[in-house]
Amino acid sequence: MNNDQIAQFMLLNGERFSGKDAAEIRAKLESVSEQGANQIMSTEWKSPGKCLWFAGFLGGFGADRFYLGQTVLGIVKLLTGGGLGIWSIIDFWNGLPNCKKANLKKLRSIQ
């Protein structure tokens, strides 16, 4: 990707990633292939705000885990009532970092 595309990506999606990962993200964007660049630009990244909302209001049902694509953990959380509520509270506090980690993991997987 060229510098304009990288700047555009960071402007549009910067809040969806952790600031401490900015150097890694920039390096990945600089080294990605043309096909990878198209995939990155067309990917809909998970919203930390939505993740926090799901964790806060539907966390006991595992909605935040389902949103992040963690189906097995979502089912376990659903069946245990959010770990008797304890897991839901922990996930509410970790909702933003979990979402940003999921986005970084997805970015790392793109060639």
Side-chain angles (χ1 to χ4, degrees):
M1 294 177 76
N2 64 39
N3 286 334
D4 290 337
Q5 290 172 317
I6 293 171
Q8 179 185 13
F9 177 83
M10 295 302 281
L11 181 64
L12 294 174
N13 298 296
E15 75 279 352
R16 298 177 192 273
F17 295 92
S18 176
K20 67 183 176 85
D21 297 323
E24 179 184 349
I25 294 167
R26 179 170 280 285
K28 175 68 174 181
L29 296 175
E30 289 172 348
S31 66
V32 76
S33 68
E34 177 92 20
Q35 183 180 10
N38 291 335
Q39 186 178 356
I40 288 170
M41 294 304 278
S42 65
T43 298
E44 187 169 335
W45 303 98
K46 302 295 182 189
S47 166
K50 282 184 186 177
C51 196
L52 189 62
W53 189 89
F54 283 135
F57 293 104
L58 300 171
F61 301 107
D64 54 329
R65 295 295 180 156
F66 287 116
Y67 179 67
L68 293 176
Q70 301 170 345
T71 308
V72 174
L73 289 176
I75 291 171
V76 172
K77 197 171 174 184
L78 174 65
L79 295 176
T80 63
L84 300 176
I86 296 169
W87 192 1
S88 295
I89 293 169
I90 293 169
D91 273 355
F92 178 73
W93 292 109
N94 291 325
L96 295 176
N98 286 343
C99 185
K100 292 177 180 187
K101 286 177 190 175
N103 283 335
L104 184 61
K105 183 178 177 182
K106 184 187 280 189
L107 180 68
R108 286 176 178 158
S109 71
I110 295 174
Q111 301 297 322

